[in-house]
Structures are given as structure tokens and as C-alpha cells.
Amino acid sequence: MKKSFKKIIFTKLFLFSVLGALFVFILGGAIFMRYIFAGLPPVYELEEYTPSLTSKVYDRNQKLIHEFSIEKRSMVPLADIPVDLQNAVVAMEDREFFEHAGLSFKGIFRALLHDAATGRAKQGASTLTQQLSRGVFLSQEKKLIRKIREAILAVQIEHQFSKPEILQLYLNQIYLGEGAYGVKAAAKRYFNKDLDTLTTGEAALIVGLIPAPGRYNPFANPKLAEQRRNLVLQVMKEQGYIKQEELEEAKKEPMPTRQTAAENKPGLYFIEHIRRILEPKYGTETLWKGGLNIYTTVDIDQQTLAENIMNERLQKLDEQVAKGLGIEIDPNDAEAETAAEEDGTLTDPQADYPRLQGAFMVRDVKTGAVRVLIGGRGFDESKFNRATQAKRQPGSSFKPYVWMAALQKKYTPATLVKDLPTMFYNDGRNWRTFNEMSDLYSLDLASQPFISSKDFNVWVPKNYGGRNDGWITLRKGLEKSKNLVAVNLIDAVGVPEVVRVARKAGITSALPRVPALALGVSVLTMDEHLAALSTFANAGIHTDNYYVERVEDANGRVLEKHVSVEDAAFSPQNSYLLINMMKGVVQRGSGTAAARLGRPIAGKTGTTQSHRDMWFVGMTPRTAAAAWMGYDDDTSHEKGARFTGSTAARWWTDIMEQVLKNEAKDDFAVPEGISFAYINPATGKLAMPTERNKFWEAFIKGTEPKSY
């Protein structure tokens, strides 16, 4: 009886122990599975899966000119992926892909046997679906929990998506080395080809990269990459995807070699400028990873030729400066420069052999679309954009704003203006003139009492070359870029009126309210100066420069589209009179280099004090362009060579000869309210019919001279 009771007690205890252990096991398993499933992302996210994509930049003709990307990646539908490439992936990575439900038990068993035989856990057993789940959702670390989650996700993915959808996702996200994600990016990176042009051998090489992109990289290990490619081809043949002759032909294909990127890819200053515009607007993540399509205004062909011509011309001017400084060295001969350094004849090449810098811009007169933007010589040397970031004195290229102010004060191109010496003095509050004086000697005498006084500042401007012609027409004053005419005009119309004109034209930089403003002592950026002067060529209508036509997201949705805003800043009549006078600068003045183009061009040169800045801005009815040259340290190198705005006009012309070759040679349209009359260019009065030097001048109707 006692034994029976003990047996019952023991049996019950045993059962309780088993049940307890089973409960603990089940509870532990439940907790473990909860932990496993808690770390699983929802598989339906694959439907909206957007990997890090490349944002592409196009020029005005839809040419791809740049890519913003951290990863080189492009999404492409399965129908656009070559069948050979699809077959190669299935043959090498998952030959049972179309049969299993996410897991390959044959593969797992095969891997276990291999690992047992070798004593190392190296043999992979992952299906394409498992690789996809790992690549999209999970880390690459080799942990049991990760492998379990990978297997569960693979089964869920197989349940949610079709085989073609899984294969498409896989081929678009797999990493293939050299920063390339997906087969399209790999085709471009290794072969510089589109997917649909890949050969069988090229497709096999790309697939061969999958297990170890660094190891099988054809640029780093060409022999190993070739062996791997041939292995892929052999497996494809064994599985019936290609025939023996196709195998032999593909094995003969040459291995790709790394393409050397151009040191100075054209348009980099333009690209950097639009990055500065778009990155704050859309954010770094979206610009660099969002797959944007950015359609810009630049004409990359014009940009390329403009860069080449500018660099070539400025290099020749550099050599001219070096020769003037007595430096006998070939700038293209690195050995000569090294030798010169070693024997002490060239101790500091940068100082002894100054390097001119330049900037150049082309824009559409009417819309403001920027076609060419060059910020300097060599983006790799300096990212600083001298067209949009540098502020330099415009010199005499500022004078059109003064002339417009005069036109608005009822001056005409035939109005006689003073090309006479003038002395300005500042009494501590305002600038005033001694306008009763008529010669420099008298002005020098008159200025003596003020020079020694601390309460007065004295300024006696002069014409370039020191010559003055007395009273001349407003037109001649602009054509010959007379400084004395400019300062006398600003004194007559008022500095505030000139500032107002410059502001309406589009100048946003600070403008000093001094008479010297007429000579361009302010500092401006090229882009604002070009946009402002283009206002006059556009019948007085101002439009801002712009660089981006539209931006689309990765799905083609338009995020922004440029809409030009026009501002009627000046009357068409006054704008035409000014442009007509600026045409004279090219025909008879300091910009005659541009006359070589044989078309109507309105322009203005500019040279600042001590030849620190040299400008030329020229315009046709459709296209405006600006050229600047100078030194970054803002110093003058007059000892080597004395350059002027006319120097800039010459290489401006060389570039624009190519830019304008397909543009009609139209003249600026004459607006209503304009009349023409023959005048005497010396007196500004009507010319007699028999006069030989009479000039056909434009006027606003009713303002023509009345006397002969």
C-alpha cells in the first residue's frame, strides 16, 4: 500500500515536472518567436521600396551631363533586363528559384554536407529571395537570429510577390562593386553601356561579381574576373541557357578596363551652382539619394567649347605676362619648371609666373535661361565660382546705367555733354564740383587749398590716356568710354538717379553714393551685371537669370517648373536708344574686336584702375554674354602686360563666334515712337544733305534736333 502510494506520488511529480518543463519550453519558444517576429519589417513595404537612387542632371537638349549619387543605382523593369543576364543569375545563384517557396532545402542540405566535409561554415545556401530579404531589410552580420528572420522573410516575400517581381527587385538592388547597385548601374560602370546592349560575356561578368564584387573586380583583378566570367558561362551552358558556340564566342570577349575620368569634366561650375540652389530646397538626402531628374538650361556643347577657348586664350596671355616679366619657361613643360626650380632661376612659380583667372556667362536675353557658366580655370583647382560668387569692380562696363539715367532726364544721343576736366571735393557731407574750371592746370591750382585740409577730400578724374575733347555727343561719350563725360553726367542727373536705374535694371549689390560710381567703383557679381545689362537688350523688360527648367521626382512627378517673371523696368524707346549707342561701342569704340562677328552687337568694355579687372559684355537681340579676366589676389601685373577690356572682348568674340553660329543675324527691333535723322556727329545738330560725315541717329519722336 505504501509502495503504491509512493509510486503515485512519484508519477504525479514526474508529470508535473514534464508539464512544467514543457510549459517553460513553450513559453520560452513563444517569447523567442515574439522576439524574432518583432524584428521583422512588414513585407508589403517592398511594394513601395525605393532604394537610394541617382539624381540625374540634363542639359537643355536632354543630354545627361551629371549624376548626384552616393550609390550608383538605377531602377529598371525586368522586361528591360537582358534574358542572358536573368538566366545567368538563376544559374549561378539559385537554380531552383522558380520551384521553391523561398527556401531551398536541397541547397541547405548540400551546404551542410560541404561545411561538414571542410570543417568550416562557408558554403552559402541562400536563395535569391533570402538574399533580397537580407539586402533590403536585414544586416549582413552572420548571426543565427538574422538567418532565422531571413528565412521567415523569404517565405513571406514569396507569398506576397510573384517570381518575376522578386527577380526584378533582386536585380535592381544587388551590390556589384565600384559603388554600383543594380545591374543597370553595373553595366554603365564596367562597360559604359546600356543594359540592352550587353553581350552574353558582359552579362556573365556582371553576374560573376555577386558573391565578392571586390575579389572579382575586372579593374583590380582582371585574370580572376575572367576566370569567374568563364565559370558563369560554363554553368549557363550546362543548364542549357546557351550553346557551346555561344560559350566559346563569349569567352573570347575582352575584359573591360577602367575608363579614365576627364580631369576637368565640362560644366562643373554650373553643376556646383545648381547643387547650391537645390540642396537647401530639397535636402541632402533627396538630392543625393532621391533619384531626381533635374532638367537645366545649360547647353553642354556650348559650355564645353567656351571652356576650351577661354582656357586656351588665357593661357596665351599668361605666357605673354611671363615673357614681359622675363620668365623664360614653357608652362606646358613640367620638366623645365622643375629644372628652373632646382637651379634657382624660378624660386616661386606661383608668384613669378602669375596665372590669369577668368569667368564667362551666356544667357537668353528674353527668358534669362543661362546657357554657359564658367567660374574659373579648372574646377579641380578652385571650386570658387567667379561668375556668381566673386564681386569685382565693373569699371566702365557700369556706364550704361549712367547713360540710361541721362536718357530718362530727356537727353538724346545727340545731346552735347561735357568731356571737360572736373574737380570733386567732399566737404564732409556731400560731394561738390568746381564746374567753372576748364583745364587741369586750373583745377590743380584750385585744389591746393583743399589738399592740406583734413575737412576736404578732393578727386580729379581723368580720361584714359588723359585727353579730353570738350563738348561731344552723348553717343560719342559712350563709344569712346569717356570718364569725364560719365562723371559730369552723374553730377548732372544725380547719384541717386543712377542708383535707382541700376536697381531697376537688376543690380542688387551695395552701390556707393559717390560720383566715382559712374566709373564702376562698386563691386558686382557677373551674374547680376549680365542680367541687368540684358534688360536694355530686352526692350527694358527685366528677367532674372535661372538655371533649372524643372525638377521631377523618381516617379516623374513634377516638383518644380520655372516660370519667368517679367518686369517692365524701362521704356522700350529709351532702351532702344541705349542699345543703339552700345552698338556703336562695337562698331567704332573699345569693343571693335566683336565687330568681326559681322552681326549687330551692343556691348561695353570695362577696365578698372591699374588694370585689375577687364570686362566685356555683349548682346544680340537673343543672346547676352559677359567675359571677365583678372587675378584672384586683386593685384595688377602691368609690368608683364597691360590688358584692358578690349583684351577680354577678343576672347569673348572667339567664344561667341561658335555660340552664335546658328543664330540669325537679326538687328534689335525698333519700337514704336522712334524716329531717325541725319545729324552732324560733332555738333549734334541736323546735318546738311551735302555733308560727308553725317550720321543716321535714333531719337524718340519729337526730340530730334530742330536746327542745322
Side-chain angles (χ1 to χ4, degrees), residues 206-279:
I206 289 174
V207 171
L209 292 164
I210 294 175
R215 177 177 171 80
Y216 299 125
N217 186 323
F219 301 151
N221 303 304
K223 289 191 177 297
L224 200 58
E226 184 176 10
Q227 292 173 8
R228 179 69 183 176
R229 179 200 66 182
N230 293 345
L231 173 62
V232 174
L233 291 168
Q234 184 63 40
V235 172
M236 290 177 70
K237 190 264 178 185
E238 290 173 358
Q239 296 189 33
Y241 290 118
I242 59 174
K243 297 178 181 179
Q244 182 65 36
E245 52 267 30
E246 291 176 297
L247 166 65
E248 297 300 330
E249 195 66 29
K251 288 172 68 174
K252 295 177 183 177
E253 293 179 20
M255 298 298 290
T257 55
R258 189 185 299 276
Q259 297 187 359
T260 304
E263 291 183 5
N264 252 327
K265 182 181 176 182
L268 290 180
Y269 282 106
F270 183 90
I271 295 298
E272 173 62 11
H273 187 65
I274 65 168
R275 183 198 66 78
R276 291 167 61 91
I277 294 172
L278 297 178
E279 199 168 58

Side-chain angles (χ1 to χ4, degrees), residues 478-481 583-593 605 646:
L478 187 62
E479 290 181 356
K480 301 303 180 184
S481 198
K583 284 168 59 180
V585 173
V586 174
Q587 294 163 354
R588 293 171 294 278
S590 54
T592 51
T605 56
S646 298

Side-chain angles (χ1 to χ4, degrees), residues 211-514:
R215 177 177 171 80
Y216 299 125
N217 186 323
F219 301 151
N221 303 304
K223 289 191 177 297
L224 200 58
E226 184 176 10
Q227 292 173 8
R228 179 69 183 176
R229 179 200 66 182
N230 293 345
L231 173 62
V232 174
L233 291 168
Q234 184 63 40
V235 172
M236 290 177 70
K237 190 264 178 185
E238 290 173 358
Q239 296 189 33
Y241 290 118
I242 59 174
K243 297 178 181 179
Q244 182 65 36
E245 52 267 30
E246 291 176 297
L247 166 65
E248 297 300 330
E249 195 66 29
K251 288 172 68 174
K252 295 177 183 177
E253 293 179 20
M255 298 298 290
T257 55
R258 189 185 299 276
Q259 297 187 359
T260 304
E263 291 183 5
N264 252 327
K265 182 181 176 182
L268 290 180
Y269 282 106
F270 183 90
I271 295 298
E272 173 62 11
H273 187 65
I274 65 168
R275 183 198 66 78
R276 291 167 61 91
I277 294 172
L278 297 178
E279 199 168 58
K281 187 182 298 185
Y282 295 105
T284 302
E285 285 288 313
T286 300
L287 179 62
W288 290 86
K289 297 182 179 181
L292 301 179
N293 289 308
I294 303 162
Y295 298 91
T296 71
T297 61
V298 74
D299 187 315
I300 199 62
D301 294 333
Q302 293 182 359
Q303 175 80 30
T304 302
L305 69 88
E307 289 183 18
N308 292 339
I309 293 173
M310 187 189 87
N311 289 333
E312 180 185 336
R313 301 300 184 270
L314 292 185
Q315 178 62 43
K316 289 182 178 179
L317 295 176
D318 275 345
E319 295 169 19
Q320 185 178 334
V321 172
K323 186 176 181 180
L325 294 173
I327 300 173
E328 297 294 336
I329 184 169
D330 182 354
N332 297 314
D333 189 346
E335 293 182 3
E337 185 169 323
T338 301
E341 288 177 336
E342 289 175 352
D343 66 17
T345 58
L346 183 57
T347 57
D348 186 353
Q350 190 64 27
D352 293 343
Y353 181 49
R355 179 175 166 83
L356 270 168
Q357 268 296 348
F360 189 77
M361 274 188 76
V362 179
R363 62 159 265 166
D364 186 289
V365 163
K366 298 186 182 300
T367 68
V370 174
R371 305 303 185 198
V372 175
L373 177 68
I374 308 175
R377 295 172 67 187
F379 185 78
D380 56 333
E381 295 179 18
S382 169
K383 309 288 188 291
F384 183 65
N385 193 325
R386 295 157 189 83
T388 61
Q389 295 175 285
K391 290 198 171 188
R392 307 289 298 219
Q393 289 188 345
S396 291
S397 67
F398 189 87
K399 288 175 181 174
Y401 306 116
V402 182
W403 263 246
M404 174 55 79
L407 291 172
Q408 292 190 330
K409 291 291 186 180
K410 307 305 180 184
Y411 284 66
T412 76
T415 300
L416 293 181
V417 290
K418 289 192 299 183
D419 181 29
L420 295 168
T422 301
M423 184 182 75
F424 290 84
Y425 68 94
N426 190 297
D427 60 8
R429 298 181 62 185
N430 298 304
W431 284 94
R432 305 181 185 280
T433 60
F434 281 131
N435 54 17
E436 69 272 15
M437 301 303 174
S438 59
D439 60 78
L440 285 175
Y441 177 73
S442 300
L443 287 175
D444 286 339
L445 290 177
S447 66
Q448 293 306 312
F450 302 102
I451 291 175
S452 59
S453 173
K454 296 181 180 179
D455 297 327
F456 289 89
N457 292 320
V458 177
W459 178 51
V460 182
K462 298 177 182 179
N463 284 328
Y464 184 75
R467 176 183 170 182
N468 60 83
D469 295 327
W471 290 83
I472 60 175
T473 62
L474 190 68
R475 168 183 284 279
K476 185 176 180 181
L478 187 62
E479 290 181 356
K480 301 303 180 184
S481 198
K482 293 285 191 173
N483 290 342
L484 292 177
V485 172
V487 296
N488 281 311
L489 273 179
I490 201 171
D491 182 51
V493 303
V495 173
E497 181 64 18
V498 173
V499 171
R500 190 182 71 84
V501 165
R503 290 277 180 258
K504 289 188 69 176
I507 298 297
T508 58
S509 295
L511 298 173
R513 293 179 177 255
V514 296

Side-chain angles (χ1 to χ4, degrees), residues 612-669:
R612 288 182 170 86
D613 300 277
M614 286 68 70
W615 293 79
F616 182 73
V617 182
M619 296 164 281
T620 72
R622 293 186 178 88
T623 305
W628 168 86
M629 54 185 280
Y631 294 94
D632 280 341
D633 59 5
D634 198 30
T635 58
S636 172
H637 294 279
E638 292 180 276
K639 292 181 181 179
R642 180 172 291 190
F643 302 129
T644 66
S646 298
T647 312
R650 287 196 286 274
W651 58 266
W652 180 98
T653 303
D654 292 337
I655 295 174
M656 295 307 289
E657 185 173 25
Q658 299 300 316
V659 171
L660 299 174
K661 64 183 179 182
N662 295 321
E663 183 179 307
K665 296 183 179 181
D666 296 333
D667 203 347
F668 294 89

